[in-house]
Amino acid sequence: MTDTDATLSDALGRISTAPDVDTLRSIEREFVGKDGVVASMLAAIPTLPPADRKGAGQSANQLKQAVLTALAEREVALGNAALDAERKGDGFDASLPPPRLERGTLHPVVQVTRELEDLFTSMGYMVLDGPEVELDEYNFEKLNIPADHPARDTQDTFYCNAPGSKATLLLRTHTSPVQVRAMEHLQPPFRAVVPGKVFRQETTDASHEHTFHQMEGIVIDRNVSVGHLIGAMKTLLRGIFKKDIEVRLRPGYFPFVEPGFELDARCPFCEKGCSVCKQSTWIELLPCGLVHPNVLKAGGLDPEEWGGFAFGLGLSRLVMLRYGIDDVRHLLGGDLRFLEQF
Ligand code: DAH
């Protein structure tokens, strides 16, 4: 074995067992570095007999190439090994099934809202939105509920005035303010529904929640009668319960409609009485009425020319009826065990 062969096998042996990249770097310096073995072999060439010089140069270069190739291969192998080790440490196992993906579902209130929006848009209604932080003026005044009106007591209100502001701000207690906003912005005749959140300062229990959902309906046209109102409510109930529902009207007082009604629906869940209708076969579902002339005026419309009807569908209540939910607090409680059922 020549000296060069011995050097080469020494280098390759050490490279193949080098434990890390730092060791490879120092082997690299030792053999092919500026002052390394190859460099001194090349430096010695001029001292050799001329006949040996060419061969010496060739063996130095072969040594250099072989060492560089072995270094590069070992470095790749070390990198792969490190990666494997890291994955094992993570518990990575390519043969395991992937973790279960959590799938979300639409909230039941959203599902029912969308269904009703589809129903109403198919009947020519627009879907409108209004501010949740509302002016007293729209929540009460323009709906024919002046400051000292007893109807205010039935809607315990969260006031949220900014210090120093002149207008009274509150969290809307119903979606009715959008009736007036719609009249102000739209050219009659029009029909609109307004789904949304409303707020009341109430002690919460199974049937009271400080935040719940309503869907307001408003139709403005010429010559609107109670007959139109009843017809529209029956169509609505058929759309919701997928069958014809008998209705009855009882007088109901709401300052923004005249006449005002409580519309009861024949219980869709039973024939002889059940827990939903409290054994009466009727459920109180839809307060409604013909829009009061003062409200039309507040919306900038002439009550001699225009009339209309309005209704306030309790969305939260409807969702509870539909799915047999017995506590309104489930709706906004955020408990996944509840929500995952929908
Ligand atoms: N805004 C009323 C409430 O929240 C419900 C209501 C009653 C709305 C009669 C209406 C209506 O549009 O005509 O108590």
Side-chain angles (χ1 to χ4, degrees):
M1 196 196 269
T2 64
D3 281 355
T4 318
D5 288 343
T7 311
L8 180 60
S9 76
D10 172 36
L12 296 183
R14 284 166 56 197
I15 290 169
S16 69
T17 54
D20 52 41
V21 175
D22 283 347
T23 312
L24 290 180
R25 288 287 96 79
S26 87
I27 297 174
E28 184 177 2
R29 277 193 300 280
E30 183 181 336
F31 287 89
V32 294
K34 194 152 54 66
D35 303 314
V37 177
V38 172
S40 50
M41 282 167 75
L42 293 172
I45 289 175
T47 66
L48 297 175
D52 296 344
R53 291 182 191 166
K54 189 176 173 199
Q58 279 170 349
S59 5
N61 277 322
Q62 278 161 7
L63 175 64
K64 181 176 173 183
Q65 283 315 317
V67 168
L68 286 175
T69 306
L71 283 169
E73 283 169 3
R74 179 67 183 157
E75 189 164 347
V76 170
L78 282 175
N80 287 343
L83 217 55
D84 282 349
E86 198 177 300
R87 286 181 180 157
K88 283 214 185 73
D90 279 351
F92 179 86
D93 181 345
S95 64
L96 286 178
R100 192 171 78 95
L101 287 179
E102 298 293 341
R103 298 187 73 193
T105 54
L106 292 178
H107 192 284
V109 171
V110 175
Q111 291 184 31
V112 171
T113 305
R114 293 201 179 166
E115 200 181 306
L116 291 177
E117 286 177 1
D118 282 350
L119 177 68
F120 278 107
T121 46
S122 78
M123 300 192 295
Y125 286 70
M126 288 176 279
V127 179
L128 299 181
D129 212 357
E132 289 175 356
V133 177
E134 185 53 284
L135 292 161
D136 181 285
E137 191 188 349
Y138 284 90
N139 196 81
F140 293 125
E141 296 281 334
K142 292 188 173 202
L143 289 172
N144 201 28
I145 315 175
D148 51 358
H149 197 287
R152 292 204 177 202
D153 299 344
T154 64
Q155 302 198 346
D156 299 305
T157 310
F158 287 114
Y159 287 94
C160 49
N161 250 15
S165 83
K166 287 203 197 75
T168 304
L169 282 173
L170 44 77
L171 296 185
R172 66 176 178 194
T173 58
H174 50 178
T175 42
S176 304
V178 189
Q179 290 187 24
V180 181
R181 292 186 174 278
M183 290 177 216
E184 288 176 347
H185 285 92
L186 301 171
Q187 191 63 37
F190 66 82
R191 309 163 184 209
V193 284
V194 187
K197 251 186 233 151
V198 301
F199 311 87
R200 304 226 179 142
Q201 188 165 23
E202 283 189 289
T203 310
T204 58
D205 61 28
S207 44
H208 295 89
E209 175 64 294
H210 50 69
T211 303
F212 55 101
H213 291 79
Q214 293 185 334
M215 183 179 275
E216 193 78 12
I218 172 92
V219 170
I220 298 289
D221 209 331
R222 294 185 173 90
N223 306 318
V224 176
S225 72
V226 173
H228 293 119
L229 168 63
I230 297 175
M233 296 304 95
K234 283 187 147 176
T235 311
L236 166 58
L237 293 173
R238 194 183 318 124
I240 294 172
F241 294 109
K242 317 280 184 254
K243 59 179 175 185
D244 283 325
I245 304 272
E246 191 189 345
V247 300
R248 75 177 181 194
L249 289 184
R250 287 178 293 117
Y253 175 67
F254 306 96
F256 35 93
V257 282
E258 178 58 36
F261 306 103
E262 290 285 1
L263 184 138
D264 296 341
R266 191 63 97 172
C267 181
F269 305 108
C270 71
E271 284 180 357
K272 298 211 172 70
C274 66
S275 60
V276 174
C277 60
K278 303 200 185 78
Q279 311 305 328
S280 74
T281 77
W282 291 102
I283 47 178
E284 190 182 314
L285 203 59
L286 263 170
C288 54
L290 297 187
V291 180
H292 195 289
N294 287 350
V295 178
L296 292 166
K297 276 189 229 158
L301 300 181
D302 177 2
E304 298 296 329
E305 183 181 4
W306 298 104
F309 63 79
F311 53 92
L313 186 64
L315 262 186
S316 301
R317 188 160 134 71
L318 187 64
V319 171
M320 291 170 73
L321 281 176
R322 157 81 63 91
Y323 296 110
I325 299 165
D326 58 6
D327 191 329
V328 66
R329 290 168 295 188
H330 285 314
L331 292 181
L332 293 177
D335 188 332
L336 288 178
R337 291 167 304 177
F338 169 78
L339 294 170
E340 276 167 355
Q341 300 173 68
F342 299 96

